[in-house]
């Protein structure tokens, strides 16, 4: 039973390029969350998606960042025109529901480095 | 607005001793869930324990227990009989009943000494 799959594990981009991070939730999970973690800091919520819908994007920067979870295929976090400040670990998580007791199942993260 | 506070950036504990990691939270909701996650140096996030706001008993999972004091809005993690493999970052998290997102504290780095 595969867990949450994220790829790539490491991504290096030059300033101004685009970064695409992919996440396949656990089988049977229709709720996907993206978090960003800076070194020695906690996880900051970015966006919550269900299939074909963005439900809560209150933590996502208004510019350059977008997320999608299409009917078929993985969820994608897209960062356009990356800057050095985008360097961070990006974690995807999924859950089977949205109750207060729903724990999150995390992927291994994507470490984005912007040169 | 919901908020999680972990005031201990780093903690040391001797192997086989117990250690308490502090967590306080703020929410205006009556229904919420509290979680602890462990992040070893390899980076993955591992779920440890859950406490619901209506649960009267403190949650326990093996060597982990959650000291839940609702009036004080605290949800401290107690690790008994520490092991070297417990060295990691520990994050307290909360999810409101009517919300969709889980928020995390800044974390506590635990060092277990042999």
């Amino acid at each position: 039973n595969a867990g949450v799959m994220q790829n790539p594990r490491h991504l290096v981009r030059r300033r101004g390029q685009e970064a695409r991070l992919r996440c396949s939730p656990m089988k049977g999970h229709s709720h996907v969350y993206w978090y960003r973690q800076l070194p020695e800091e906690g996880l900051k919520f970015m966006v919550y998606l269900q299939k074909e819908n963005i439900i809560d994007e209150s933590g996502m920067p208004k510019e350059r960042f977008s997320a999608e979870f299409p009917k078929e295929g993985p969820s994608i976090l897209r960062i356009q025109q990356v800057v050095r400040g985008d360097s961070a670990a990006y974690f995807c998580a999924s859950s089977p529901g949205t109750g207060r007791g729903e724990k999150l199942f995390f992927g291994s993260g994507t470490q984005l480095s912007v040169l | 607005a919901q908020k999680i506070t972990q005031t201990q950036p780093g903690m040391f504990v001797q192997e086989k001793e117990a250690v308490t990691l502090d967590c306080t939270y703020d929410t205006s909701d009556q229904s919420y869930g509290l979680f602890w996650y462990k992040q070893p140096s390899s980076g993955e996030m591992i779920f440890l324990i859950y406490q619901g706001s209506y649960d009267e008993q403190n949650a326990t999972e093996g060597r982990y227990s959650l000291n839940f004091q609702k009036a004080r809005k605290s949800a401290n993690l107690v690790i008994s009989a520490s092991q070297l493999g417990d060295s990691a970052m520990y994050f307290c998290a909360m999810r409101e009943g009517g919300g969709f997102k889980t928020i995390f504290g800044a974390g506590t780095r635990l060092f277990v000494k042999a």
Side-chain angles (χ1 to χ4, degrees):
Chain A
N1 187 12
V4 178
M5 304 300 291
Q6 281 188 257
N7 63 81
R9 191 81 169 87
H10 301 276
L11 183 60
V12 180
R13 286 287 178 265
R14 296 191 180 280
R15 281 178 295 170
Q17 291 184 321
E18 178 180 286
R20 279 183 176 244
L21 288 62
R22 288 176 291 277
C23 169
S24 295
M26 280 187 73
K27 189 175 181 181
H29 289 193
S30 57
H31 307 271
V32 168
Y33 312 81
W34 285 93
Y35 287 84
R36 177 162 65 176
Q37 184 180 33
L38 294 172
E40 299 302 312
E41 292 189 12
L43 278 72
K44 302 296 184 189
F45 170 81
M46 298 181 74
V47 61
Y48 159 58
L49 311 101
Q50 293 180 20
K51 283 283 186 183
E52 299 185 275
N53 286 301
I54 298 173
I55 308 300
D56 183 343
E57 56 182 348
S58 58
M60 195 109 91
K62 294 288 185 278
E63 296 180 354
R64 301 188 298 108
F65 285 72
S66 62
E68 63 176 10
F69 188 16
K71 188 176 180 180
E72 301 290 339
S75 175
I76 305 287
L77 179 66
R78 182 182 177 204
I79 311 172
Q80 295 178 289
Q81 299 175 329
V82 297
V83 300
R84 290 224 171 105
D86 296 333
S87 295
Y90 292 83
F91 285 92
C92 170
S94 71
S95 68
T98 58
R100 66 187 173 125
E102 292 289 354
K103 68 182 184 184
L104 299 177
F105 294 79
F106 282 88
S108 298
T110 293
Q111 182 65 51
L112 174 65
S113 299
V114 180
L115 304 179
Chain B
Q2 52 179 338
K3 185 180 178 182
I4 294 283
T5 302
Q6 293 180 255
T7 57
Q8 305 155 313
M11 288 280 288
F12 286 86
V13 65
Q14 196 68 39
E15 194 179 10
K16 299 180 185 177
E17 299 288 316
V19 63
T20 298
L21 307 184
D22 294 342
C23 172
T24 58
Y25 60 91
D26 191 22
T27 178
S28 54
D29 256 20
Q30 296 301 309
S31 173
Y32 51 89
L34 296 158
F35 306 79
W36 279 90
Y37 289 83
K38 172 184 178 182
Q39 187 178 42
S41 56
S42 52
E44 75 270 29
M45 295 287 289
I46 302 167
F47 165 78
L48 295 178
I49 195 166
Y50 162 78
Q51 178 87 40
S53 59
Y54 296 123
D55 296 340
E56 294 185 355
Q57 302 273 1
N58 285 343
T60 60
E61 289 284 352
R63 294 187 298 112
Y64 304 109
S65 60
L66 199 153
N67 185 359
F68 180 45
Q69 298 191 41
K70 195 170 182 176
R72 293 187 176 184
K73 291 190 174 179
S74 76
N76 298 339
L77 177 70
V78 180
I79 305 174
S80 63
S82 297
Q83 302 171 356
L84 295 178
D86 293 335
S87 293
M89 281 288 283
Y90 289 82
F91 293 100
C92 181
M94 177 173 67
R95 185 180 188 126
E96 290 178 335
F100 299 112
K101 60 188 177 187
T102 301
I103 63 162
F104 288 78
T108 295
R109 184 170 291 283
L110 178 66
F111 299 91
V112 180
K113 299 182 290 184

